[in-house]
Amino acid sequence: MRDWVAEWRQEGRIFVWRYPKRSKHAGEWHFTGDPAGCRSLRNLFDRMAGGSAGHRTLQLGQVTPAISAVPNFGEPKTDRFASMRIVFRPDANDLVVEEDGDRLILTFGNKRIRPLRAAFAEVEIGTGDFGIAPSDDRKAEAWWFWSMPWSAGFYKQ
């Protein structure tokens, strides 16, 4: 049987960062990516959806001042993550990000794959400034998705 998840290869760039907790939304996880990166990640989610448990690792781009300035929350935290392991567990109910040195581990299941996939679809076409709930807990901090800055050269006006 063909392993579609194992055959996936990253294209483009994805960026993940945080801010010091200064405002209501500053401390949550923040995501963006270039169109190829978002499309590539959505392709991975499609390969995982409805299947068995699996994982892949992608390289994260270095967050530039132009990228972290889009939300206008000030300077981001100085933590730098080089990669993110994407872990699909079909029965996982929540979106979870854990730190493991300079690597992040993003875990999700069938329950949250659609909103996660939809968020990266929006970023791919150049929209942003929205959050998604990582769980059913109303007090859980949303994950925020941002458009790439025009100055990054990924979009033409």
Side-chain angles (χ1 to χ4, degrees):
M1 178 175 240
R2 195 164 182 177
D3 187 349
W4 296 102
V5 172
E7 291 179 11
W8 176 84
R9 298 292 178 261
Q10 179 180 355
E11 296 178 19
R13 297 185 295 171
I14 298 294
F15 304 89
V16 181
W17 71 100
R18 297 181 292 184
Y19 295 95
K21 192 69 173 169
R22 284 184 231 141
S23 71
K24 181 180 176 186
H25 302 299
E28 296 92 351
W29 291 104
H30 298 265
F31 299 82
T32 195
D34 63 25
C38 292
R39 192 169 35 258
S40 180
L41 201 48
R42 288 188 312 104
N43 178 269
L44 176 59
F45 298 156
D46 290 346
R47 291 169 183 238
M48 291 176 157
S52 58
H55 61 83
R56 297 297 295 157
T57 299
L58 65 98
Q59 299 305 306
L60 294 172
Q62 184 171 353
V63 177
T64 66
I67 291 170
S68 65
V70 171
N72 198 23
F73 289 148
E75 291 293 317
K77 284 187 171 183
T78 57
D79 45 18
R80 163 78 175 102
F81 304 107
S83 64
M84 183 164 58
R85 184 176 191 146
I86 308 293
V87 179
F88 178 71
R89 293 192 182 124
D91 59 347
N93 289 321
D94 300 337
L95 295 170
V96 178
V97 171
E98 299 170 297
E99 296 177 57
D100 182 20
D102 69 345
R103 176 175 76 163
L104 294 174
I105 302 170
L106 167 64
T107 305
F108 61 92
N110 284 314
K111 183 173 182 178
R112 301 262 178 228
I113 198 168
R114 280 190 182 171
L116 187 59
R117 185 189 185 288
F120 281 102
E122 290 293 317
V123 173
E124 179 183 346
I125 62 170
T127 59
D129 194 1
F130 63 89
I132 65 171
S135 72
D136 291 335
D137 179 357
R138 293 183 186 263
K139 293 182 181 181
E141 294 182 332
W143 291 6
W144 286 88
F145 292 80
W146 304 97
S147 58
M148 286 290 290
W150 290 101
S151 62
F154 294 110
Y155 299 104
K156 304 289 183 215
Q157 289 183 326

